[in-house]
Amino acid sequence: MDRRTFGILCEMVRDIGGLKDTKNSSLEEIVASFLYVLAHHKKNRTISLLFHRSGKTISRHFNRCLLAILKLHEVLLKRPQPITEDCEDNRWKSFKGCLGALDGTLIKVTPPSDQKPRYRTRKANIATNVLGVCCPNMQFIYVLPGWEGSTHDGRVLRDAINRPDGLKVPRGCYYLVDSGYCNAEGFLAPFRGQRYHLNEFHGRRPRTPQEYFNMKHSKARNVIERCFGLLKGRWKILASPSFFPIETQVRIILASCLLHNLIKKYMSFDPQELEPVEEDDLADDGPLDNEDYVSFINPTQDWVTFRNYIANQMFNSWRERLNP
């Protein structure tokens, strides 16, 4: 985070989050110590020596700053915009009406001892299952942390769309999902039993509309995987279990996603990503006008037909370009 973005963050937590200077610590120092904990995952004693404050003071400042940043969710979470007919991005232009991609990721946590079995994953790790939804320019649209690691991704998604303040999918729009989710209205999954991952296509052209659709789907949906990788690489506190109360650990995950969006929005160059980001792509958009949202996940023949139509249209256009 550069100085300009740090200054913007301090203004936001002061004006929106209600964070204030204390008698002995400035707001900038409080925010800096908070970011240092997230970025380096150092213990309280290390931070207190670095900032010359008592451990109790560092802990109090951390929790105050965390709550202030969470109040920025309405400002920092990206408002989705569907892919339009005039889209020129080769990854996305075939998916008209698409809002982005979603997936679940596991982040290691330290729950109370009596709750550990619920958080145990199939690989025997203790983790929370986090649903992440992002737009094509790698900003988070919606994040739902807190579910136990043993919970299936589909159940987490159903919970997200049924919450009053949960994920909103306008009818006629959709998100790209992997084969672990249902191919249902609002959620476009790849064809099962066909090649999907990009490394499976190296040196081999797609032979059927289903394979070509899966290849294009994988290239576009990979944006959420890149988001998760960038998030965990930037904030080391997400790379290994912390020893805060489980409620605080869940809040840290959400705060990390909000800070990720802040950096993507206000920094023209992200050294963590090692490539420049166009400023125009990061402008805030207005809310979607459609207020009729998908309220349940139910595979239907209409949605299967819709997927087949897109696959055939993609494949035929590709064949025409190969054989004009």
Side-chain angles (χ1 to χ4, degrees), residues 77-175:
L77 286 178
K78 180 73 174 179
R79 295 184 178 90
Q81 289 293 307
I83 300 298
T84 58
E85 292 285 345
D86 57 354
C87 177
E88 298 181 356
D89 190 329
N90 289 329
R91 289 176 180 263
W92 294 92
K93 64 182 182 181
S94 300
F95 299 101
K96 306 297 187 299
C98 182
L99 300 171
L102 65 83
D103 201 0
T105 188
L106 296 174
I107 295 179
K108 295 180 180 179
V109 293
T110 308
S113 299
D114 60 335
Q115 297 182 22
K116 282 187 177 182
R118 296 161 51 194
Y119 285 86
R120 195 177 305 278
T121 69
R122 290 179 296 174
K123 295 183 178 181
N125 294 318
I126 305 299
T128 179
N129 192 343
V130 180
L131 172 67
V133 185
C134 75
C135 60
N137 65 2
M138 295 180 65
Q139 290 191 56
F140 285 105
I141 296 171
Y142 180 79
V143 182
L144 178 59
W147 273 93
E148 297 87 345
S150 59
T151 309
H152 190 274
D153 289 345
R155 183 180 178 187
V156 179
L157 179 58
R158 288 194 296 272
D159 177 54
I161 66 173
N162 288 324
R163 290 180 175 229
D165 57 347
L167 177 64
K168 305 299 181 184
V169 187
R171 296 192 183 277
C173 298
Y174 57 91
Y175 287 100

Side-chain angles (χ1 to χ4, degrees), residues 19-59:
L19 189 64
K20 299 179 180 179
D21 301 334
T22 64
K23 181 178 180 181
N24 298 314
S25 301
S26 66
L27 181 142
E28 288 76 13
E29 179 185 331
I30 296 173
V31 176
S33 63
F34 176 83
L35 295 177
Y36 196 90
V37 173
L38 264 59
H40 300 283
H41 194 190
K42 297 297 183 180
K43 293 184 178 179
N44 199 43
R45 180 180 298 178
T46 303
I47 305 300
S48 63
L49 292 174
L50 180 65
F51 286 87
H52 303 287
R53 303 294 179 192
S54 68
K56 184 177 180 180
T57 298
I58 292 295
S59 178

Side-chain angles (χ1 to χ4, degrees), residues 189-248:
F191 290 93
R192 295 185 178 181
Q194 305 286 337
R195 286 185 294 169
Y196 180 70
H197 298 290
L198 296 179
N199 57 6
E200 298 175 354
F201 291 96
H202 287 170
R204 299 176 59 190
R205 287 184 174 180
R207 297 187 298 267
T208 63
Q210 290 78 15
E211 285 192 351
Y212 188 76
F213 174 89
N214 278 9
M215 183 184 71
K216 299 292 287 185
H217 187 285
S218 180
K219 286 183 177 180
R221 197 196 65 83
N222 189 51
V223 66
I224 186 63
E225 306 295 347
R226 292 168 58 205
C227 260
F228 287 144
L230 192 60
L231 183 74
K232 295 178 182 179
R234 190 192 311 278
W235 309 115
K236 298 302 181 184
I237 199 169
L238 304 181
S240 58
S242 61
F243 293 92
F244 294 97
I246 187 63
E247 295 81 5
T248 302

